[in-house]
Amino acid sequence: AFGLTFTNDAPGGAFEFRVFWNNISNAPALTLIDTDVDAAHSWTAANLSHDLGQLDGMNAWCADPARNHASGAIVYGVNTRQISAGWHSVVFELKMDNFNRDTSKVATVSVVDTETGKICAALDVARNDFPTTLYQSIALKFQAEAGHRYDFRTVWHYAPHAPRLTQRSVIVK
């Protein structure tokens, strides 16, 4: 793993980062985990806690109706006290297959103050919120209190024809 330090000299702050990989026989596997520029905190979903689901083979965590037969938290945790007081935005990086079948609720993302048990912010995510099978950034704004612990949760809603839901990361700005 390595970090990339750069100076923001681009007009409007627009950047594109590219990685080129030479796919030759016996080449090592390449795994890219993108993080947000200037993010205060970020966590890879596979490294957090899970009630259900499995690794997707690409360092993300997923649930699908073929292997998971109940609703539950595919990702939760951190229980961090590192969030400063004030307003923050948390981004859940999610993707799903079979995104345009209907408008059913697939997941609920939330921020929980674990000191009080209070849900600070929550959002139901529907299948039609995804225009493609690529990762989408689902953002929530929440207000943190000094010294409190916070959990970031993604609950997948089981249905026999639910799409596979994959989470790559949680990023707090």
Side-chain angles (χ1 to χ4, degrees):
F2 66 92
L4 177 64
T5 303
F6 61 94
T7 302
N8 182 356
D9 289 336
F15 291 98
E16 182 176 299
F17 298 94
R18 294 181 182 192
V19 175
F20 295 94
W21 177 61
N22 191 6
N23 185 12
I24 60 172
S25 179
N26 298 322
L30 175 66
T31 302
L32 293 177
I33 299 173
D34 65 353
T35 58
D36 202 37
V37 176
D38 295 331
H41 306 283
S42 65
W43 300 272
T44 301
N47 292 335
L48 295 175
S49 298
H50 318 282
D51 284 339
L52 60 91
Q54 53 280 329
L55 281 170
D56 75 338
M58 303 294 284
N59 254 2
W61 199 261
C62 68
D64 64 64
R67 293 182 281 185
N68 309 110
H69 302 124
S71 298
I74 66 168
V75 173
Y76 68 91
V78 186
N79 199 26
T80 184
R81 211 174 271 215
Q82 298 175 345
I83 309 299
S84 61
W87 284 97
H88 298 274
S89 177
V90 59
V91 174
F92 299 82
E93 284 189 305
L94 303 172
K95 72 175 181 176
M96 69 177 71
D97 68 354
N98 199 3
F99 62 90
N100 57 357
R101 179 180 174 144
D102 57 36
T103 60
S104 61
K105 179 171 70 171
V106 174
T108 301
V109 294
S110 62
V111 178
V112 178
D113 180 334
T114 59
E115 301 283 328
T116 64
K118 175 186 164 193
I119 297 173
C120 302
L123 177 69
D124 288 332
V125 180
R127 207 177 209 153
N128 62 332
D129 289 338
F130 291 76
T132 69
T133 57
L134 301 175
Y135 280 101
Q136 306 294 313
S137 295
I138 307 297
L140 284 176
K141 291 199 179 298
F142 71 100
Q143 188 169 16
E145 293 186 41
H148 284 226
R149 293 181 179 273
Y150 292 91
D151 229 12
F152 307 100
R153 301 177 182 176
T154 302
V155 173
W156 177 68
H157 300 290
Y158 170 78
H161 299 290
R164 174 185 172 129
L165 179 69
T166 304
Q167 184 166 350
R168 180 166 51 190
S169 67
V170 175
I171 302 164
V172 178
K173 301 178 186 180

